[in-house]
Amino acid sequence: MQKLPESLLCAALLIVSLVAVSGTAAGATPYVVANDDSSFPFTGVSFFAVGPNGGLTRKGEVATPGTGIGGGYFGANRIIVLNSPSQACVFASEAGSGDVVGIDINTLSVGGSASGSDTDAGTGNGIGLAANAQYLYADFTDSNTIGTFRVLSGCGLMFVSSVSVVGAEDGGINGLAAHGNMLVATYTDGTIESFDIANGPPVSHGDKQLSTGTVRSKGATFPNSIDITSDGRFAIFGDTSTSMVVEVSDISSGKLTKTRVYTSTTSISSSNVMLSPDESILYVVNTQGDSVTALFFHKTTGVLTKGCTSDPIRGHSSNFSYLAGAALMSSTGNGSGIYVAEFPSGIARMKLKVKGKVCSWREVPQSPFEDKNASGLLSIGTYPPRSF
């Protein structure tokens, strides 16, 4: 497959998502957080206070020492929120300068930054992030390496080492997701792979494989973003495709298994996915279309069933070109809907109503909210985050 949608994004798009690691402080100020991914001299991470009705008020931008590129792969998540009992931090990648910066959420100030090895680079397609409680992982998409960083007090980082990786058919590293002692990666050729991170640096489980969707479509679809269930039983992949394709792998054995595929022609692409807090809903962003989809998910069997797709989100073509990562409106229940990043600088608010096995979407009247400092906004996330 000629991956035209991804290559078009390389100079223009931003992916941001949030991953929770542990506990949330009582009374914490809720935020939507965005890696503005701007180039010199204006670069930073924007914070939006979430009001009681879900509306967003700009709190400000924390200026960061490095520079972004305003683009990259959908699945390369550029923000991680670490919320431990002792500290609450945002870590953001800066592909232009090749570093990762830590921000203290309580003070909204920079706590430190760190770079990978001399050969680690992601200036073409970005630097994706994933984390567990002790380590942060960065995929450098130009050098095809995964860097390991130890998380320090004060929201600092210390570089440990890098390992080289490649897809089964020489594809480049794309997305990452971590759960406990497992790290899962996607590659641009449709490969998926998992790693043991019990001792820090990733060690392959030897389960590298092309996804079922990629094989069946002869390369016309490929896994991009990743989410993992709270019990670590299933890895879920949102695919880049001309339709909607989501794949699920049972990882309860400690390795990836052959994926099961869910497809639909009601929308275009599915490059970003996120589970609801109670894991009853899989939120799917139709990244090259103009809508979002909710699929019903059975967290015991890993089976996806038909849910609902929204009407077109306001402003497609006139105000935004692409959609990307999602941020939950609520950290409990089914999430109540999502905020959705609009390239280049909008944040849509989409409410979800569920009754039994029937659901419906509504875009709120205030939508979209503007991130005036973003140069290529495609994803956002919330603090306090989901519990897994």
Side-chain angles (χ1 to χ4, degrees), residues 3 167-169 171-172 174 185-193 209-215 219 221-224 239 247 259:
K3 299 175 179 63
E169 296 185 348
N174 189 346
T186 59
Y187 299 83
T188 56
D189 59 2
T191 297
I192 56 176
E193 183 177 17
Q209 60 192 273
L210 292 175
S211 79
T212 304
T214 297
V215 173
T221 183
F222 59 99
N224 205 317
D239 286 20
E247 306 190 51
T259 58

Side-chain angles (χ1 to χ4, degrees), residues 24-377:
T24 297
T29 300
Y31 291 113
V32 166
V33 188
N35 181 339
D36 294 330
D37 200 31
S38 302
S39 58
F40 181 83
F42 305 109
T43 183
V45 175
S46 287
F47 287 76
F48 299 85
V50 180
N53 64 351
L56 303 182
T57 302
R58 183 175 180 79
K59 184 74 172 180
E61 182 185 58
V62 177
T64 54
T67 58
I69 59 172
Y73 294 141
F74 279 122
N77 302 322
R78 285 161 172 80
I79 280 188
I80 293 294
V81 169
L82 174 69
N83 184 29
S84 74
S86 59
Q87 60 181 347
C89 308
V90 169
F91 293 107
S93 66
E94 303 186 291
S97 49
D99 67 288
V100 182
V101 61
I103 296 172
D104 187 319
I105 296 175
N106 294 318
T107 63
L108 297 188
S109 61
V110 172
S113 65
S115 299
S117 71
D118 291 341
T119 56
D120 289 336
T123 54
N125 295 304
I127 301 170
L129 303 177
N132 61 14
Q134 294 81 34
Y135 294 95
L136 180 141
Y137 300 91
D139 67 51
F140 294 89
T141 55
D142 286 17
S143 54
N144 276 335
T145 50
I146 299 175
T148 301
F149 298 79
R150 185 182 295 276
V151 176
L152 306 176
S153 62
C155 302
L157 291 168
M158 182 181 71
F159 176 65
V160 177
S161 62
S162 289
V163 296
S164 296
V165 293
V166 68
E169 296 185 348
D170 298 323
I173 187 72
N174 189 346
L176 289 179
H179 184 281
N181 293 329
M182 178 180 282
L183 183 72
V184 179
T186 59
Y187 299 83
T188 56
D189 59 2
T191 297
I192 56 176
E193 183 177 17
S194 75
F195 302 84
D196 181 0
I197 52 174
N199 296 315
V203 178
S204 178
H205 283 134
D207 55 4
K208 184 187 298 183
Q209 60 192 273
L210 292 175
S211 79
T212 304
T214 297
V215 173
R216 288 179 181 175
S217 67
K218 298 181 180 180
T221 183
F222 59 99
N224 205 317
S225 68
I226 312 156
D227 204 355
I228 300 174
T229 55
S230 62
D231 60 3
R233 183 172 181 179
F234 298 105
I236 304 171
F237 302 93
D239 286 20
T240 295
S241 176
T242 54
S243 60
M244 187 175 72
V245 180
V246 178
E247 306 190 51
V248 180
S249 174
D250 188 329
I251 56 175
S252 58
S253 66
K255 293 184 177 183
L256 289 166
T257 57
K258 184 178 179 180
T259 58
R260 291 180 292 179
V261 183
Y262 177 91
T263 62
S264 173
T265 58
T266 59
S267 50
I268 303 172
S269 201
S270 39
S271 299
N272 287 89
V273 296
M274 174 175 279
L275 276 170
S276 65
D278 64 5
E279 300 172 274
S280 66
I281 297 290
L282 181 70
Y283 290 104
V284 182
V285 181
N286 306 128
T287 41
Q288 273 116 333
D290 58 3
S291 61
V292 292
T293 296
L295 299 176
F296 291 104
F297 180 70
H298 196 294
K299 63 181 181 181
T300 302
T301 64
V303 172
L304 289 162
T305 54
K306 183 179 179 181
C308 53
T309 297
S310 72
D311 291 334
I313 295 174
R314 292 190 291 269
H316 187 225
S317 297
S318 61
N319 294 330
F320 71 91
S321 301
Y322 301 96
L323 301 171
L328 296 165
M329 287 174 50
S330 170
S331 59
T332 61
N334 63 23
S336 302
I338 51 177
Y339 298 99
V340 183
E342 303 175 340
F343 172 78
S345 59
I347 301 173
R349 182 178 169 219
M350 305 295 296
K351 295 185 70 173
L352 180 71
K353 182 178 180 181
V354 179
K355 187 174 183 180
K357 287 298 182 180
V358 177
C359 62
S360 60
W361 288 97
R362 181 174 69 89
E363 183 175 8
V364 302
Q366 310 98 306
S367 176
F369 302 91
E370 183 185 9
D371 180 4
K372 63 182 181 181
N373 288 334
S375 67
L377 184 65

